[in-house]
Amino acid sequence: MEITRFRTRVALVVPLVAVTTAACGLDNQAPPPLIGPSGFGSSVTLSASPDQLPRDGASQSIVTVTSLDSSNNKPAAGQRLTILVMGGTASQDSVTTSSDGRAVFAVTAPAQNMVVPGNQIVVSVTPVGNNADNALPRRISIALTGVSNSTAPAPAFTVAPQNPEINQVATFDATTTTDEGAQCLDNCTYGWNFDDGTTGTGRVVTHAFTVARAYNVELTVTDAAGLVVTVRQLVTPMMPAEPTVTLNVAPNPPVVNQQATFNASGTAAANHQIVRYEWNFGDSNTATTVSGNVTHTYGSRGIYTVTVRAIDDLGRAGSTSLQLNLTTGVATGINASFFFSPTNPAANTSVFFDAMASTASNGATITNYRWDFGDGASEDNGTTATTSHQFGLAQTTYVVKLTITDSQGRTASTTLNVVTK
């Protein structure tokens, strides 16, 4: 994973001499102690109001500087002092005392995402003059309240399934994100960029990709202290295989004005199914069916190309064609035709066979329907055109043959494949 961290740090420009003893605590603290005179030039004292600030990047404390001449204890007017603030922001970098020996400036609290050592703002003022001893800095601390993180969050997420199919809804889960050594859960906020022009928010989200390519999915986590980290992970949706389809017709070929029965058997990719069949009979006639069985009659001689498309639940299609030559031959009128249901049966379940579409020769009737089921079993059903049968093996192709005999002694046969699952 590629990780990008965003953190704001405050540089400590000067050593914090004796800050520990002079600073306030973390949250609920007593007013900060004031550091008084140093040296023989002037007595400089500091006060801050308020002496605590929230970590919001906006709240301010007013710092008052009072300078007295140490020789007569009177206000020291015109005393210039430089300002240094660590952990916050000063409104100016220097002040000059007025006739009452005072000067004021503002200190602004840091933003929540700033890491401030000691959870306090340290304000230093230094008199400017020729007395080297007088030039020692005077300090005061302002306590910071609110959440303080010392480390940024560690974002992480999983995708299920890891490589989803096109248009398949995948779950993106950032529950494994940690912060301060523990799961962040709902203490963090989560922003998603799926690299396809769409975004999302929330610890657990779902998304489906519509184009087959690699996507650099981006998760941005913000913790309670405002620290932001981004992580990216490649997700490559897969394109499932197109359906396959086989086609049979009985009789083959039919003759003019003789009904032909077409049987298509489509197979979809794993975890998908065929939802419809689209037919083109090559004579300007079309049809759409849910099952793979359809009948059609040609009204004139010719060579016809029959095409069937098997459409799966993703809208993907597999197709096959069959050419019929209706330019020769005469119609006998006898035709063996059947269909079965379900088209993809499970082992040891009943499969229904229907041969009622079969026709006898002109002036005759069908006297027997003989079934050979391709597993060693057969039966003669006389004039009954329907039957049922169970196939014992899974994932096996059985070639089922129907032979009809009419009252004129003519016969016709056809076969269909039954594929068990």
Side-chain angles (χ1 to χ4, degrees), residues 38-167:
S38 174
F40 301 99
S42 62
S43 170
V44 177
T45 59
L46 306 176
S47 65
S49 179
D51 60 7
Q52 291 187 355
L53 291 177
R55 296 170 176 269
D56 58 8
S59 296
Q60 290 186 329
S61 176
I62 301 301
V63 177
T64 301
V65 183
T66 302
S67 179
L68 299 176
D69 189 325
S70 59
S71 63
N72 55 22
N73 204 33
K74 292 183 178 181
Q79 174 66 62
R80 182 170 176 266
L81 304 104
T82 59
I83 302 168
L84 177 64
V85 175
M86 293 169 288
T89 305
S91 59
Q92 56 207 80
D93 57 11
S94 67
V95 292
T96 301
T97 59
S98 60
S99 59
D100 62 355
R102 295 187 179 188
V104 295
F105 59 92
V107 174
T108 303
Q112 196 174 53
N113 63 347
M114 294 179 64
V115 178
V116 179
N119 294 308
Q120 61 186 349
I121 301 172
V122 177
V123 181
S124 298
V125 296
T126 304
V128 178
N130 296 323
N131 188 324
D133 191 38
N134 188 51
L136 293 175
R138 279 72 163 171
R139 298 186 180 92
I140 190 173
S141 63
I142 301 171
L144 292 172
T145 62
V147 178
S148 174
N149 274 19
S150 59
T151 61
F157 66 93
T158 59
V159 185
Q162 180 63 40
N163 292 303
E165 293 181 353
I166 293 300
N167 296 319

Side-chain angles (χ1 to χ4, degrees), residues 164-199:
E165 293 181 353
I166 293 300
N167 296 319
Q168 181 181 11
V169 175
T171 299
F172 294 78
D173 189 344
T175 300
T176 52
T177 294
T178 59
D179 190 33
E180 296 292 312
Q183 283 184 299
C184 198
L185 302 177
D186 294 334
N187 294 319
C188 290
T189 59
Y190 307 84
W192 302 85
N193 186 325
F194 296 105
D195 194 26
D196 61 357
T198 62
T199 59

Side-chain angles (χ1 to χ4, degrees), residues 1-6 155 157 193 215-220 230-235:
M1 293 185 181
E2 175 188 351
I3 299 179
T4 303
R5 300 183 183 274
F6 303 92
F157 66 93
N193 186 325
Y215 294 86
N216 199 15
V217 178
E218 180 181 277
L219 168 65
T220 299
T230 295
V231 66
R232 299 175 182 87
Q233 183 178 156
L234 281 177
V235 178

Side-chain angles (χ1 to χ4, degrees), residues 2 31 54 67 99-100 118 167 190 197 241 257 272 277 280 304 315-316 323 395 400 404:
E2 175 188 351
S67 179
S99 59
D100 62 355
N167 296 319
Y190 307 84
N257 296 322
H272 296 280
Y277 294 85
N280 187 324
Y304 302 95
R316 295 169 60 80
Q323 191 176 80
Q395 298 181 342
V400 178
I404 61 172

Side-chain angles (χ1 to χ4, degrees), residues 328-347:
T328 61
V330 296
T332 64
I334 189 169
N335 173 45
S337 177
F338 71 97
F339 71 90
F340 61 92
S341 180
T343 56
N344 186 210

Side-chain angles (χ1 to χ4, degrees), residues 199-283:
T199 59
T201 57
R203 179 160 50 89
V204 180
V205 297
T206 58
H207 185 69
F209 297 100
T210 59
V211 178
R213 67 172 177 85
Y215 294 86
N216 199 15
V217 178
E218 180 181 277
L219 168 65
T220 299
V221 176
T222 305
D223 68 8
L227 299 178
V228 180
V229 182
T230 295
V231 66
R232 299 175 182 87
Q233 183 178 156
L234 281 177
V235 178
T236 306
M238 299 184 301
M239 181 67 73
E242 292 183 347
T244 59
V245 60
T246 59
L247 176 62
N248 295 296
V249 60
N252 188 8
V255 295
V256 175
N257 296 322
Q258 181 183 23
Q259 180 176 276
T261 299
F262 296 88
N263 178 266
S265 179
T267 303
N271 302 317
H272 296 280
Q273 59 183 349
I274 303 298
V275 296
R276 69 181 184 276
Y277 294 85
E278 297 177 349
W279 302 85
N280 187 324
F281 298 105
D283 62 351

